Amino acid sequence: MPEEYDVIIIGSGVGGTGIGSILAHAGLKTLILERNERLGGACSSYIKEGFTIDVACHYFSHCMKGRFGKILKRSGLVYKKDGKLGSDYIQFNSDLASKGRVKFKGRPGYSQMGFSTQSSSKSTPKPAESSDLDEKKTGFKKAEQKELISVIGNMLQMSKKKIRELAAREIDLKSWVNEITTNKKVHDFVAMMCGTFFTIPPRLSSASEYIICLQETVFSNDTGYPIGGSIAIPTAFAQGVLKNGGDVRTNANVTKIIIENNRASGVIANDEEIRGKIIVSNAGIKQTVLRLVGESYFEKSYVQRVKDLMPSYSAIAYKFALSKPLIKEDFAFVQLTQTKFGPLADKGEEKKAPMAASYLMPIPSNMDPNLAPPDKQLIIVGTAAPPFVKNWKRWADIYYQDILSFYPELEDLVEFVDITTPVDITNYIGKAGGPVEGTALTPSQSGKRRISSELPIEDLFVVGDTAGTDTHGVGTQLAADSALKCADIILKKYNKLISTLPRA
């Protein structure tokens, strides 16, 4: 007889491990199946020559005060001390809100990343230091500085009612900014911020969703990084599954979801049949519908809707292991920004390989010194990349030289550099094109318009950054919100099943 579980979860990303931890704590016998040898999907890490290196380029907008903390709390993995949540399963360095900087190419020094407010209320933002937008550092003239402050101020002060009105208009971020200013430098700066959050340009991004995420990030004052690298997050959630009698398996490749009488009833993993009352896929909604289940089990209109979902751009990341520190300040990350922006290549323009508008450069070993050997430094430099490019070596070489133009001394410090392209990400996470967000946060794909986690087959759900109506957040926060809200759907729908389960 095949094994049987209450819940089988395909994939161990933040969404999969997050919902697994919650459901296991609720009493459901839970199994997580991960096809790779390490947990986490794109939110994972590996060890090489004494360095602990993230698979992708990560910096987290929320830690314990956000959705990670909510998952841990609902999983019974937290304690409260001095009014703050803590956990024996994971620790964050979350005192990093003031440690981000922007470096404009060819200009001296750094500008502080982001804006500060005088209190927890939504007061008018201002630069955290008087010299933040100094023309010598940024190229912004006084009038342009005022316009940029006006745009960011409007974002941070916008009421929930006005955000809902923006969502109803389905307006993109570029069009909304145009209602305030048409200044190109201001638009370029917004494009840099938007690319860091959503990995798509403002013309494609939902204005309302971007403002929600910016407000959450600024006012939570909880930006940070997990001790032990990105893999520490899914590892902590997986501990919640194991603590409550569940099972977590790596190198377990699911090739099929079993459908019987329009119900999901199990999976085939490594040619083995495993039965489950509830199947939750963290493999992406397209992968789930089109490959793991198959188009024939769905109505044509639903299949077409899934096919039409637009992913975000992918990314290319450079993981630099350095013999000594390049960044001697205690910065958590630096946003490397061009003085002149150009559009990312459109399909059919692969040969252009234009300069990236900006690069996000976290310094993980500044946030957790144990991620690099003593007196050495780990930095990761990532930028958005279109998924259609075939000759990634050429693009990688051009971007590498561009990164060196910000820090010419970098090359002499490199012990080794690992480069991750969209092809590598696709092979690792299994999502075509290697998108940073599987379903991009466009006006028609965000908020209440986002496709549901509950599929039109009984007992089948999808979590992660590809599905979840009314889910919000940047990157892993979006996946975590999907886990939280899908868990609510399941716990409500299967309340009778849960009430009959034996309690430890």
Side-chain angles (χ1 to χ4, degrees):
M1 292 290 290
E3 294 180 276
E4 185 166 351
Y5 289 82
D6 296 320
V7 182
I8 298 173
I9 298 168
I10 305 165
S12 69
V14 168
T17 54
I19 193 171
S21 189
I22 294 170
L23 297 180
H25 185 254
L28 293 169
K29 185 182 178 184
T30 301
L31 170 66
I32 294 179
L33 299 171
E34 166 57 49
R35 71 178 198 157
N36 294 306
E37 64 180 0
R38 299 184 304 271
L39 298 178
C43 189
S44 190
S45 313
Y46 60 94
I47 297 173
K48 181 176 178 179
E49 297 181 25
F51 292 83
T52 300
I53 306 170
D54 288 344
V55 168
C57 184
H58 285 296
Y59 180 73
F60 299 90
S61 60
H62 294 78
C63 299
M64 289 299 287
K65 294 179 185 177
R67 295 171 184 88
F68 296 158
K70 289 179 181 179
I71 290 174
L72 292 165
K73 186 176 181 180
R74 290 183 58 177
S75 304
L77 301 178
V78 299
Y79 57 81
K80 207 163 190 179
K81 184 177 181 180
D82 299 328
K84 296 181 180 180
L85 285 183
S87 176
D88 292 327
Y89 295 87
I90 188 170
Q91 286 80 44
F92 291 93
N93 182 349
S94 56
D95 188 25
L96 303 177
S98 64
K99 294 185 178 180
R101 295 294 187 272
V102 181
K103 182 176 179 60
F104 287 82
K105 182 187 281 187
R107 294 188 176 273
Y110 298 90
S111 296
Q112 184 156 338
M113 183 68 176
F115 293 79
S116 65
T117 52
Q118 294 176 337
S119 68
S120 60
S121 63
K122 296 179 182 179
S123 55
T124 302
K126 64 176 184 178
E129 299 174 4
S130 60
S131 60
D132 279 344
L133 295 176
D134 181 271
E135 186 176 349
K136 289 182 180 179
K137 293 181 180 180
T138 67
F140 279 83
K141 297 178 180 178
K142 289 289 184 184
E144 293 167 333
Q145 294 174 25
K146 290 180 179 179
E147 288 186 80
L148 178 59
I149 296 297
S150 176
V151 170
I152 305 299
N154 271 277
M155 290 180 181
L156 294 180
Q157 294 179 85
M158 189 173 291
S159 66
K160 290 182 179 180
K161 180 181 178 182
K162 288 187 177 180
I163 292 174
R164 288 195 296 270
E165 290 172 356
L166 266 190
R169 290 172 60 191
E170 291 191 57
I171 187 171
D172 65 84
L173 184 58
K174 181 178 180 179
S175 298
W176 179 80
V177 174
N178 263 332
E179 294 177 359
I180 302 173
T181 178
T182 58
N183 183 276
K184 186 177 185 304
K185 283 187 179 177
V186 175
H187 274 271
D188 285 348
F189 195 87
V190 171
M192 178 269 289
M193 295 168 62
C194 180
T196 300
F197 271 27
F198 291 171
T199 329
I200 51 175
R203 63 183 171 80
L204 298 177
S205 299
S206 164
S208 58
E209 200 62 31
Y210 180 80
I211 292 168
I212 288 170
C213 292
L214 183 66
Q215 287 187 0
E216 285 186 353
T217 301
V218 171
F219 293 108
S220 71
N221 195 30
D222 192 38
T223 54
Y225 190 83
I227 302 302
S230 294
I231 196 172
I233 298 169
T235 298
F237 295 161
Q239 288 299 311
V241 175
L242 298 172
K243 178 185 175 184
N244 288 285
D247 192 8
V248 179
R249 302 178 191 174
T250 55
N251 295 309
N253 185 30
V254 175
T255 54
K256 182 178 178 62
I257 295 173
I258 300 168
I259 307 296
E260 297 171 328
N261 301 318
N262 201 43
R263 306 184 80 95
S265 58
V267 302
I268 303 296
N270 296 347
D271 298 322
E272 174 192 358
E273 180 180 322
I274 309 172
R275 289 282 169 170
K277 298 182 179 71
I278 302 164
I279 310 299
V280 180
S281 176
N282 189 201
I285 193 164
K286 287 187 177 182
Q287 178 85 337
T288 302
V289 170
L290 305 179
R291 192 181 74 80
L292 294 179
V293 175
E295 295 181 29
S296 62
Y297 288 94
F298 301 91
E299 292 186 1
K300 289 183 178 179
S301 58
Y302 183 80
V303 170
Q304 193 59 51
R305 184 187 179 193
V306 170
K307 287 182 176 179
D308 289 343
L309 291 172
M310 189 186 87
S312 78
Y313 293 164
S314 187
I316 185 167
Y318 301 77
K319 297 92 174 276
F320 291 96
L322 306 182
S323 59
K324 61 182 180 179
L326 170 72
I327 307 300
K328 297 178 176 61
E329 301 87 346
D330 66 345
F331 300 158
F333 71 92
V334 177
Q335 191 82 44
L336 306 178
T337 304
Q338 308 285 359
T339 50
K340 292 183 179 180
F341 284 33
L344 196 65
D346 292 322
K347 195 166 186 178
E349 298 180 331
E350 295 93 329
K351 293 181 181 179
K352 285 188 176 181
M355 293 301 96
S358 66
Y359 303 87
L360 177 63
M361 187 178 80
I363 305 119
S365 58
N366 279 10
M367 297 181 275
D368 177 4
N370 292 320
L371 299 182
D375 302 320
K376 298 186 179 184
Q377 190 171 65
L378 172 67
I379 65 173
I380 299 178
V381 184
T383 191
F388 53 77
V389 176
K390 293 181 180 178
N391 182 11
W392 271 113
K393 185 181 185 307
R394 179 173 178 273
W395 278 56
D397 290 345
I398 290 172
Y399 283 171
Y400 184 86
Q401 293 302 317
D402 193 31
I403 293 166
L404 293 181
S405 72
F406 285 89
Y407 295 105
E409 67 273 30
L410 171 61
E411 194 164 31
D412 292 335
L413 303 177
V414 174
E415 290 194 355
F416 67 85
V417 55
D418 287 351
I419 302 174
T420 302
T421 71
V423 174
D424 300 315
I425 297 171
T426 297
N427 292 337
Y428 193 75
I429 67 175
K431 295 175 185 175
V436 173
E437 291 178 343
T439 300
L441 289 165
T442 66
S444 63
Q445 295 183 166
S446 59
K448 296 188 183 299
R449 295 181 181 85
R450 199 162 181 80
I451 196 165
S452 175
S453 285
E454 194 169 5
L455 273 60
I457 288 177
E458 284 296 310
D459 308 324
L460 181 58
F461 303 84
V462 170
V463 293
D465 60 16
T466 65
T469 304
D470 211 20
T471 53
H472 307 278
V474 178
T476 52
Q477 290 295 316
L478 183 64
D481 204 28
S482 174
L484 287 160
K485 288 174 179 171
C486 188
D488 289 339
I489 293 170
I490 290 173
L491 293 174
K492 182 178 180 180
K493 185 171 183 177
Y494 298 93
N495 182 56
K496 288 184 179 179
L497 167 65
I498 295 167
S499 66
T500 64
L501 295 173
R503 292 285 174 173

